[in-house]
């Protein structure tokens, strides 16, 4: 018998640091045994070939050594068996089939959790890290929210910090002054110049022609509407698209001295910046049968048979305003924030009533405010007279009206609800003179959810449908509106001369 046994030992020592890593190779023992025996039969010989036996022994890692390698980002230099033994001593089970990257990731999670627990002085985080996160069998890129990175919840939210005072002030605003039957756009079309003297046949020239006023107005309105809805969608704001019929009245401040003709763009800028105008939403009583027939022809159905009596009020507080809705018993049944107009579009006309189309949103009211104004009395009725009984510490009631409301509704081809509200308004508490007299109002509205910017709603089609309904309703109410209010423009001699 001949036996050869050899042992190979490899040691590597770092010059810097406190880590001394010792790697011992497995002892390799090779035994060669040659046996021969002679049996009772001649030529019967047994021979056994060389037998090889392997034995391995892994040196256990110390916590300080692993800590040093983790700080250096050199955990991949360890063997998988060493890391498994280290995690097993810590009470963490590792899948035997896991790849080296997954085992290293588990080591990083454990070390990071242990470091955090030591800094907080508690051992609860160590038990949570022992359970691990994710699957060991999948190769991952590690936890990006680990040490050295700021957690997302620690980032400063300017809206929550009150920097913008709400999302309504963050969304950009748009203002449009549209005139029915006219537009500033022109159509560019190619012209044949081969018959002109001195022009060769291959000369390329163009000319200008008038564009379709209705199509140009729809395009201008639709582009701005989609832009505003995209901004609202980015801020996760719910909104409402609403249309009213009435008249846009400009104050003398909208015109310069002696100025009779002004461009639409210049006038639009003045109205947006200084707001020298008043909007009156009013219709005569003679328009009711016309509107009822109009709605019936277009598939609108009444929501209820009888009109509902409600009270609508505006409460002014130190920093904001609230809108409250009261039922017949003068009990508050709704508290809402003040509307914020994201897009304001006026469609003006000389011969028929104007239309105001608003894309608006309002912030949510806190549960405390709803509970407060639902509990306390706001108004009371005594001797057919309504009086304000709101406590001064809860604000001032600056507007109150008694409304008789009827609702009509229909679903369009896409299943979107379009509502029409008829309101007979009797103001009771007002601050401005133009709010004092009773009036009849018509309003078309569509609810726009915060997800309208996605594929859940075709906002362009909805906007154009509301714009078309507003134009049809304005044309229908042309005669009763002019007969009741006489809003036909009167041009004096100076204005006619300036126009000529």
């Amino acid at each position: 018998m001949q036996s050869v046994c050899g042992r190979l030992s490899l040691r590597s020592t770092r010059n810097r640091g406190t880590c001394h890593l010792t790697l011992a190779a497995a002892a390799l023992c090779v035994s060669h045994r040659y046996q021969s025996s002679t049996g009772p039969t001649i030529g019967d010989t047994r021979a056994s070939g060389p037998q090889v036996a392997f034995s391995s022994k892994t040196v256990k890692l110390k916590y300080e050594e692993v800590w040093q390698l983790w700080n250096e980002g050199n955990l991949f230099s360890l063997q998988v068996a060493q890391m498994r033994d280290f995690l097993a001593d810590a009470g963490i089970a590792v899948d035997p089939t896991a790849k080296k990257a997954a085992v290293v990731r588990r080591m990083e999670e454990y070390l990071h959790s242990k470091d955090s627990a030591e800094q907080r002085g508690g051992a609860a985080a160590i038990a949570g890290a022992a359970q691990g996160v994710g699957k060991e069998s999948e190769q991952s890129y590690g936890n990006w929210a680990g040490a050295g990175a700021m957690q997302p919840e620690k980032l400063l939210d300017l809206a929550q910090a009150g920097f913008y005072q709400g999302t309504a002030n963050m969304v950009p605003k748009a203002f449009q002054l549209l005139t029915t039957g006219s537009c500033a756009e022109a159509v560019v079309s190619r012209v044949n110049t081969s018959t002109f003297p001195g022009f060769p046949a291959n000369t390329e020239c163009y000319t200008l022609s008038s564009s379709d006023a209705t199509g140009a107005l729809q395009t201008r309105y639709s582009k701005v509407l989609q832009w505003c809805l995209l901004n609202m969608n980015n801020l996760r704001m719910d909104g409402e698209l609403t249309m009213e019929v009435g008249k846009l009245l400009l104050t003398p401040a909208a015109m310069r001295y002696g100025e009779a003709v002004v461009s639409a763009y210049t006038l639009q800028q003045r109205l947006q910046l200084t707001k020298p105008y008043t909007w009156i939403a009013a219709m005569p009583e003679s328009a009711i049968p016309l509107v009822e027939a109009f709605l019936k022809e277009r598939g609108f159905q009444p929501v209820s048979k009888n009109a509902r009596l409600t009270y609508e009020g505006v409460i002014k507080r130190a920093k904001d305003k609230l809108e409250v809705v009261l039922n017949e018993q003068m009990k508050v049944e709704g508290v809402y924030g003040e509307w914020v107009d994201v897009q304001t579009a006026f469609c003006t006309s000389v011969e028929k009533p104007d239309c105001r189309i608003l894309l608006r949103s309002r912030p949510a009211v806190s549960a405390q405010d709803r509970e407060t104004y639902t509990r306390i009395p706001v108004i009371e009725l005594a001797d057919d007279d309504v009086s304000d009984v709101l406590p001064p510490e809860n604000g001032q009631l600056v507007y109150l009206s008694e409304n008789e409301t009827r609702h009509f509704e229909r679903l369009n081809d896409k299943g979107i609800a379009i509502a029409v509200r008829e309101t007979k308004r009797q103001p009771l508490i007002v601050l401005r003179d133009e709010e004092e007299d009773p009036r009849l109002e018509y309003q078309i509205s569509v609810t726009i959810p915060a997800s309208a910017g996605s594929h859940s709603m075709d906002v362009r089609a909805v906007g154009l449908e509301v714009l078309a309904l507003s134009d049809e309703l304005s044309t229908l109410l042309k005669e009763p509106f002019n007969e009741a209010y006489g809003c036909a423009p009167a041009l004096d001699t100076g204005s006619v001369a300036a126009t000529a």
Side-chain angles (χ1 to χ4, degrees), residues 248-457:
L248 176 65
L249 303 177
L250 306 183
T251 61
M255 309 296 292
R256 300 293 185 264
Y257 179 76
E259 186 179 40
V261 179
V262 63
S263 66
Y265 178 75
T266 301
L267 188 58
Q268 175 179 285
Q269 285 185 314
R270 294 177 185 175
L271 297 184
Q272 183 179 10
L273 294 177
T274 60
K275 296 184 179 181
Y277 63 87
T278 301
W279 171 255
I280 301 296
M283 281 291 132
E285 295 284 343
S286 59
I288 295 179
L290 295 177
V291 176
E292 289 179 349
F294 172 81
L295 297 178
K296 187 176 181 180
E297 291 176 359
R298 283 153 182 80
F300 286 89
Q301 300 296 330
V303 177
S304 59
K305 296 182 179 180
N306 301 324
R308 186 188 180 199
L309 178 63
T310 58
Y311 295 90
E312 180 181 345
V314 177
I315 298 176
K316 182 179 180 181
R317 301 194 297 182
K319 295 183 179 180
D320 59 354
K321 292 182 180 180
L322 296 178
E323 296 183 4
V324 293
V325 177
L326 300 89
N327 55 18
E328 298 180 0
Q329 290 76 26
M330 299 186 180
K331 300 296 183 181
V332 177
E333 62 179 19
V335 182
Y336 310 97
E338 186 180 10
W339 285 107
V340 177
D341 298 335
V342 179
Q343 180 192 12
T344 304
F346 290 100
C347 296
T348 61
S349 177
V350 176
E351 300 176 352
K352 57 185 181 180
D354 301 335
C355 297
R356 184 178 70 167
I357 306 178
L358 300 175
L359 177 62
R360 57 186 185 175
S361 177
R362 55 184 173 187
V365 179
S366 63
Q368 181 180 0
D369 289 340
R370 288 196 301 268
E371 182 181 357
T372 299
Y373 291 97
T374 304
R375 184 180 66 255
I376 63 176
V378 178
I379 58 175
E380 66 178 10
L381 180 63
D383 299 332
D384 294 336
D385 187 16
V386 177
S387 58
D388 176 15
V389 294
L390 183 67
E393 60 271 14
N394 297 113
Q396 179 186 2
L397 188 64
V398 296
Y399 179 82
L400 180 68
S401 65
E402 182 184 81
N403 304 335
E404 291 185 10
T405 308
R406 292 194 303 169
H407 288 85
F408 303 85
E409 189 174 304
R410 82 165 187 191
L411 298 178
N412 63 0
D413 299 336
K414 302 296 183 179
I416 300 174
I418 301 178
V420 177
R421 185 177 67 179
E422 177 192 87
T423 304
K424 294 182 180 179
R425 187 182 302 273
Q426 175 61 55
L428 302 176
I429 299 176
V430 297
L431 291 180
R432 296 187 295 267
D433 294 338
E434 60 267 18
E435 298 176 347
E436 189 171 346
D437 295 331
R439 63 200 66 193
L440 175 67
E441 300 175 359
Y442 284 99
Q443 183 183 85
I444 302 176
S445 61
V446 179
T447 301
I448 306 295
S451 60
S454 60
H455 299 287
S456 60
M457 176 183 291

Side-chain angles (χ1 to χ4, degrees), residues 82-126:
Q82 290 178 314
M83 291 186 288
R84 286 202 188 104
D85 294 341
F86 181 82
L87 293 174
D89 294 340
I92 302 176
V94 181
D95 188 1
T97 61
K99 297 182 180 180
K100 186 174 184 179
V103 180
V104 171
R105 175 173 172 267
R106 178 57 66 86
M107 290 276 292
E108 292 176 347
E109 292 175 356
Y110 169 73
L111 294 173
H112 174 64
S113 301
K114 188 173 180 62
D115 181 35
S116 301
E118 290 178 355
Q119 291 179 359
R120 293 192 302 265
I126 301 178

Side-chain angles (χ1 to χ4, degrees), residues 33 63 99 139 167 184 214 242 289 301 353 440 454 462 476 496:
R33 296 185 180 182
Y63 181 76
K99 297 182 180 180
Q139 186 173 0
T167 56
T214 303
T242 178
Q301 300 296 330
L440 175 67
S454 60
V462 173
L476 176 69
V496 174

Side-chain angles (χ1 to χ4, degrees), residues 2 15 22 47 68 73 76 93 122 131 175 182 188 220 222 226 266 270 298 323 325 343 360 374 387 403 419 466 493:
Q2 182 180 2
N15 296 328
T22 303
Q68 181 67 23
F76 262 94
Q131 298 179 359
F175 185 91
S182 66
V188 180
R220 290 177 58 192
S222 179
Q226 295 178 63
T266 301
R270 294 177 185 175
R298 283 153 182 80
E323 296 183 4
V325 177
Q343 180 192 12
R360 57 186 185 175
T374 304
S387 58
N403 304 335
V466 172
T493 306

